[in-house]
Amino acid sequence: HYVDFPVSVVLPAGGTGERTGLQTPKQFCCFLGRPLISYTIESFERVLWIQTVVVVVAKENIGLMTDIIQRFQHKKVRVVAGGSTRHRSICNGVMALGEEGKPKVVIIHDAVRPFVDENLLYQIAVAAKEQGAAGAIRPLVSTVIATTSEGYLDHSLERAKYRASEMPQGFRYDVIHQAYQRCTESDFEFGTECLHLALQYCGTNAKLIDGPPSLWKVTYKRDLAAAESIIKETLSQSACLITGRWEAGVTLANVLQKAFGALDMELNVMPDLMGDNIRYLLRDWNFIQLSVSHSCFSEVEALLVVLKSEKRALLHPVVVISLHLSSTEEPSTSRRAEESAALMGLASTAKLQNILLYGIRLHQPGDTEQWERSALRVAEIASALIGDRNPALVGQLLQA
Amino acid sequence: HYVDFPVSVVLPAGGTGERTGLQTPKQFCCFLGRPLISYTIESFERVLWIQTVVVVVAKENIGLMTDIIQRFQHKKVRVVAGGSTRHRSICNGVMALGEEGKPKVVIIHDAVRPFVDENLLYQIAVAAKEQGAAGAIRPLVSTVIATTSEGYLDHSLERAKYRASEMPQGFRYDVIHQAYQRCTESDFEFGTECLHLALQYCGTNAKLIDGPPSLWKVTYKRDLAAAESIIKETLSQSACLITGRWEAGVTLANVLQKAFGALDMELNVMPDLMGDNIRYLLRDWNFIQLSVSHSCFSEVEALLVVLKSEKRALLHPVVVISLHLSSTEEPSTSRRAEESAALMGLASTAKLQNILLYGIRLHQPGDTEQWERSALRVAEIASALIGDRNPALVGQLLQA
Ligand SMILES: [Mg+2]
Ligand SMILES: [Mg+2]
């Protein structure tokens, strides 16, 4: 799916977030340390054929938005000041695109719909170029009813004939430009639907395209929890086990892969992250570093150095678990205290780089059955740490 | 708000949950170990003036539903077999209510809207009695559009004139009974809206009542995460610190209350759970048991016994944190191993009773500043454990 005509995006982000009941507007609410709008921008930056993303924010948030772009190193973004209504803001964004050689198609999206995928963007862009306008739709979840002015039921609509109009929407540049030049002050003030303006002022009946449920709009407080859970799930589907050159590593890797599999997590196993294996460093968000000797954090330290130098945790927190396979004896009191302190110290430093470091200690099991039971415990604890991604528990040494 | 006329509930729970993309129908999906429908039933059982809740399930789920009622000790519920469509199922429920002295008002709700509150039920019941029918509504989140048969925009509706029709809805028994007696096979087969039947077959224009966002319908996979997060948040707003008779308990309680306060959690402090203090046992979902001597789990054991005998964890998992305030020395290796094993053993048994036991070890701080820093660490770790409520981490001894 490649698009061979210029496409740019306008992202109105001026909302005040009243419906979540929170102080911060939703687009600036943080998920795992990053504002929602940065996730949305990331969704567009990943798409190679999209040229520019114009983010339209209220004047008082231009500084904040510029900081976000710098901090998360967004490359395709331009910030433009918004107007007093949604349509004025979108119009500002469209006009700003016109200044730098107008694109063929403009996609308009919401800052608070972070999970838009390339396939839908492709369909919208192509349909917009062909038909002049295109928009994503979803089936209605509830029956829609018309009310009397006194608050009684007037009639209900036949659900099958109607759809919810969602985002993204796409327009040929000349269509959306003309719609905004011809529309009235009242449209600018009270209108909500760009597709309606294209119909009324350009005679363009938008092509409607079924979108996936993931493009819903983060509207209520519960939606913040839903969005966080989707982000965490995406980050928690696999982990990379680095065995080092330990003999026990091979046995452990085999039983651990099965145990993680039983929890629906993929476990990739490799001896180190050198050569070709470096691709896992760039692909995965979770690492389990095996060590066998006592109090040996040198492998973990090396891993942390690479993760930092690759800026791996710029967009998402990375989980690193130091897995200690200890011989049958308990460590001495002083050695254990040293070990705990060393782990906690490393974890505090790593946290500043958005890397969440935890420890798991496992007594080397005796027979095969014990190996399997222990592996399942390790997998359960590791997958809990990875899934919850809780910064308050970093530096803890857990017992498998 | 008391209702002085008989009100009963019909809860259709026959849905197959296609939209979540899961195998289990949504109403039977478990949240913290309990099916969603049990939460919905709990919402109605809490309301004293509601008499009977008729749950309508597909024939093949009657056994499952009966088990759920028994396991979670629901008292007001009757199970009825559903029909082939939503309206046939609701009709079966309404007719079943007629067999045992019909109520004045029937409230119809969805099994997958677990968070309905008493105030809205009151408004719906009273309006239904006065007007014959009443239904909850919400503003539209998206613009609604009419489509052409070829998949193009026909026109968009003016958002202000329309509402989403939600649940609960209420009907005078005679109104809903008559509506179902007069309606056609086609209504039974394809209709979705009870308010519509009341209008068409009884001439009753339902009174519409604005509902809160919390009554949304659990429809998509993301809604499962949102529901779980609401349930967890409800359980995590406070904790009860049991200090015992330790001298250090008073100092610790003071600094801990401030530290929890900074994390927006309320901390109730008491020496034990005897006498009047027992009310906290019945009110709170989270307990922190302080102990000062080494390896002393006797207080925690006593607490676990009471929680079990009171069936405190029947509906929700209860969190118990054993907080060890240790003197400055490290424990000996053998003592620590004993301690860890004892905690893990207690936790495994408690988990079978839906009680999640964790340990936090704190070195007794030296000066005031150290006390405050330590208290903040304890509060952070405890609130992480309470908020995540992760069963995979029970029995772990964490370091503050
Ligand atoms: Mg719209
Ligand atoms: Mg309905």
Side-chain angles (χ1 to χ4, degrees):
Chain A
H1 287 353
Y2 202 81
V3 173
D4 59 357
F5 49 90
V7 179
S8 285
V9 175
V10 172
L11 209 53
T16 55
E18 283 150 29
R19 282 191 281 194
T20 52
L22 300 171
Q23 294 257 311
T24 312
K26 289 158 289 179
Q27 63 273 25
F28 298 122
C29 283
C30 277
F31 296 81
L32 308 183
R34 185 152 67 103
L36 190 59
I37 190 156
S38 171
Y39 290 88
T40 313
I41 291 171
E42 188 195 354
S43 290
F44 288 105
E45 283 193 327
R46 271 197 301 244
V47 178
L48 296 176
W49 45 266
I50 285 179
Q51 302 187 323
T52 305
V53 179
V54 172
V55 179
V56 191
V57 295
K59 259 201 193 106
E60 62 267 33
N61 288 326
I62 287 183
L64 171 60
M65 194 60 227
T66 311
D67 286 349
I68 292 170
I69 290 165
Q70 198 168 25
R71 179 155 170 227
F72 299 103
Q73 303 187 9
H74 293 301
K75 302 293 182 209
K76 294 182 180 177
V77 180
R78 220 182 115 186
V79 182
V80 165
S84 56
T85 65
R86 178 174 161 82
H87 270 314
R88 286 190 220 277
S89 291
I90 297 174
C91 180
N92 286 3
V94 170
M95 297 308 159
L97 278 175
E99 293 160 15
E100 43 182 51
K102 30 185 175 188
K104 183 78 188 168
V105 164
V106 182
I107 289 176
I108 299 173
H109 194 62
D110 281 326
V112 292
R113 301 185 193 248
F115 305 116
V116 62
D117 65 61
E118 175 160 355
N119 181 42
L120 180 65
L121 290 171
Y122 174 82
Q123 291 180 69
I124 292 283
V126 169
K129 181 176 172 248
E130 281 167 14
Q131 312 293 336
I137 53 170
R138 290 281 309 156
L140 295 173
V141 171
S142 310
T143 302
V144 173
I145 57 181
T147 62
T148 68
S149 54
E150 294 81 26
Y152 290 89
L153 173 67
D154 190 73
H155 64 276
S156 55
L157 302 185
E158 210 181 308
R159 226 197 260 194
K161 291 190 181 156
Y162 295 88
R163 294 289 182 277
S165 172
E166 309 285 345
M167 293 279 163
Q169 296 176 348
F171 300 87
R172 268 206 315 266
Y173 189 85
D174 53 310
V175 168
I176 190 72
H177 188 264
Q178 181 173 308
Y180 276 125
Q181 292 217 303
R182 292 187 181 172
C183 77
T184 64
E185 279 304 299
S186 161
D187 288 319
F188 271 123
E189 203 63 34
F190 307 110
T192 57
E193 190 53 270
C194 297
L195 298 184
H196 174 79
L197 299 183
L199 178 59
Q200 190 170 357
Y201 296 106
C202 309
T204 303
N205 287 76
K207 175 72 181 161
L208 303 175
I209 291 169
D210 288 308
S214 55
L215 56 74
W216 103 105
K217 189 174 173 179
V218 174
T219 307
Y220 300 106
K221 202 179 158 208
R222 66 169 185 269
D223 293 317
L224 303 178
E228 181 165 300
S229 134
I230 291 171
I231 295 167
K232 282 185 175 173
E233 197 183 308
T234 308
L235 299 177
S236 306
Q237 287 166 350
S238 67
C240 175
L241 173 70
I242 309 161
T243 57
R245 301 289 167 184
W246 309 108
E247 249 182 86
V250 182
T251 319
L252 189 65
N254 284 331
V255 286
L256 271 184
Q257 270 186 319
K258 269 187 228 155
F260 274 93
L263 301 175
D264 280 326
M265 257 183 89
E266 195 193 340
L267 187 70
N268 302 298
V269 178
M270 53 215 46
D272 53 48
L273 288 176
M274 308 212 270
D276 246 18
N277 293 340
I278 194 92
R279 71 182 188 279
Y280 284 97
L281 187 75
L282 301 174
R283 213 186 72 176
D284 220 315
W285 301 102
N286 311 290
F287 298 89
I288 301 173
Q289 172 71 58
L290 179 67
S291 71
V292 172
S293 65
H294 277 310
S295 333
C296 180
F297 288 110
S298 55
E299 299 101 332
V300 167
E301 280 188 77
L303 176 59
L304 294 176
V305 168
V306 185
L307 289 169
K308 280 175 204 174
S309 74
E310 296 283 340
K311 290 188 186 163
R312 191 61 191 103
L314 179 70
L315 295 185
H316 297 289
V318 169
V319 170
V320 174
I321 294 172
S322 169
L323 176 59
H324 275 231
L325 188 64
S326 76
S327 55
T328 42
E329 316 148 49
E330 269 282 310
S332 72
T333 299
S334 59
R335 180 163 269 164
R336 177 180 264 278
E338 247 170 58
E339 217 174 291
S340 284
L343 183 64
M344 194 60 88
L346 277 178
S348 305
T349 314
K351 197 174 171 183
L352 302 175
Q353 310 278 341
N354 209 18
I355 299 172
L356 306 174
L357 173 63
Y358 311 93
I360 299 178
R361 160 182 283 284
L362 170 66
H363 280 257
Q364 181 147 356
D367 57 27
T368 312
E369 206 181 300
Q370 273 179 36
W371 265 108
E372 277 166 15
R373 234 185 358 249
S374 295
L376 197 58
R377 289 283 303 140
V378 171
E380 278 171 0
I381 295 171
S383 110
L385 293 172
I386 288 169
D388 290 345
R389 229 159 262 265
N390 199 321
L393 300 184
V394 300
Q396 298 292 340
L397 185 57
L398 307 178
Q399 198 72 44
Chain B
H1 287 356
Y2 203 81
V3 173
D4 58 359
F5 50 90
V7 179
S8 284
V9 175
V10 171
L11 209 54
T16 55
E18 283 151 28
R19 282 191 280 195
T20 51
L22 300 171
Q23 293 258 311
T24 311
K26 289 157 292 176
Q27 63 274 24
F28 298 122
C29 283
C30 278
F31 295 81
L32 309 183
R34 186 153 65 105
L36 191 59
I37 190 158
S38 171
Y39 289 89
T40 313
I41 292 171
E42 189 196 354
S43 291
F44 288 105
E45 283 193 326
R46 271 199 300 243
V47 178
L48 295 175
W49 46 266
I50 285 179
Q51 301 188 325
T52 305
V53 179
V54 171
V55 179
V56 192
V57 295
K59 260 202 191 100
E60 62 268 32
N61 288 328
I62 287 183
L64 171 59
M65 193 62 225
T66 310
D67 286 349
I68 291 170
I69 290 165
Q70 199 168 24
R71 181 158 168 227
F72 299 103
Q73 303 186 9
H74 293 301
K75 302 294 184 208
K76 295 182 180 177
V77 180
R78 224 182 111 185
V79 181
V80 165
S84 56
T85 64
R86 177 174 162 82
H87 270 313
R88 285 190 221 278
S89 291
I90 297 174
C91 181
N92 286 4
V94 170
M95 295 309 158
L97 277 175
E99 293 161 14
E100 43 181 49
K102 30 188 177 182
K104 184 75 188 172
V105 164
V106 182
I107 288 175
I108 299 172
H109 193 64
D110 281 326
V112 292
R113 300 184 193 246
F115 305 116
V116 61
D117 65 61
E118 176 162 352
N119 180 42
L120 180 66
L121 291 171
Y122 174 81
Q123 291 180 68
I124 293 282
V126 169
K129 183 176 171 248
E130 281 167 15
Q131 313 292 335
I137 54 169
R138 290 282 309 157
L140 296 172
V141 171
S142 310
T143 302
V144 173
I145 58 180
T147 62
T148 68
S149 54
E150 294 82 27
Y152 290 87
L153 173 67
D154 190 73
H155 63 276
S156 55
L157 301 185
E158 211 181 307
R159 225 198 261 194
K161 290 190 182 157
Y162 295 88
R163 296 288 181 279
S165 172
E166 309 284 346
M167 292 281 165
Q169 295 176 350
F171 300 88
R172 266 206 317 264
Y173 190 85
D174 54 308
V175 168
I176 190 72
H177 188 264
Q178 180 173 309
Y180 276 125
Q181 291 217 305
R182 294 187 180 172
C183 76
T184 65
E185 279 304 299
S186 160
D187 288 319
F188 271 122
E189 205 62 36
F190 306 111
T192 57
E193 190 54 270
C194 298
L195 299 183
H196 174 76
L197 299 183
L199 178 60
Q200 190 169 359
Y201 295 106
C202 309
T204 302
N205 287 76
K207 175 71 183 165
L208 303 174
I209 292 170
D210 289 308
S214 54
L215 56 74
W216 103 107
K217 191 173 173 179
V218 173
T219 307
Y220 299 107
K221 204 180 158 207
R222 66 170 186 268
D223 293 317
L224 302 178
E228 181 166 300
S229 131
I230 291 171
I231 295 166
K232 283 185 174 173
E233 197 184 308
T234 307
L235 299 178
S236 306
Q237 287 166 349
S238 66
C240 175
L241 172 70
I242 310 162
T243 57
R245 301 290 167 183
W246 308 108
E247 251 181 84
V250 183
T251 319
L252 189 64
N254 284 332
V255 286
L256 272 183
Q257 271 187 320
K258 268 187 228 155
F260 274 93
L263 301 174
D264 279 326
M265 256 184 92
E266 195 192 341
L267 187 70
N268 302 299
V269 179
M270 53 215 46
D272 53 47
L273 287 175
M274 308 212 270
D276 246 18
N277 293 342
I278 195 91
R279 72 184 186 277
Y280 283 97
L281 188 74
L282 302 173
R283 214 185 71 178
D284 220 317
W285 301 101
N286 311 289
F287 298 90
I288 301 173
Q289 172 72 57
L290 179 67
S291 71
V292 172
S293 65
H294 275 312
S295 333
C296 177
F297 287 110
S298 56
E299 298 101 330
V300 168
E301 281 189 77
L303 176 59
L304 293 175
V305 168
V306 186
L307 288 169
K308 281 174 203 173
S309 74
E310 297 281 341
K311 293 185 183 162
R312 191 60 191 102
L314 180 69
L315 296 184
H316 297 288
V318 169
V319 170
V320 174
I321 295 172
S322 169
L323 176 59
H324 275 232
L325 187 63
S326 76
S327 55
T328 41
E329 314 149 49
E330 270 281 310
S332 72
T333 300
S334 60
R335 179 164 269 165
R336 178 181 263 278
E338 248 170 58
E339 217 173 291
S340 284
L343 182 65
M344 194 60 88
L346 277 178
S348 305
T349 315
K351 197 175 171 182
L352 303 174
Q353 309 279 342
N354 209 18
I355 298 171
L356 307 174
L357 173 63
Y358 311 94
I360 300 178
R361 161 182 282 283
L362 169 66
H363 281 259
Q364 182 145 357
D367 56 29
T368 312
E369 205 181 300
Q370 273 180 37
W371 266 108
E372 277 165 15
R373 227 178 12 240
S374 295
L376 196 59
R377 288 284 302 139
V378 170
E380 277 171 2
I381 294 170
S383 109
L385 294 171
I386 288 169
D388 290 345
R389 230 160 263 265
N390 200 321
L393 300 184
V394 299
Q396 298 291 342
L397 186 57
L398 307 178
Q399 197 73 44

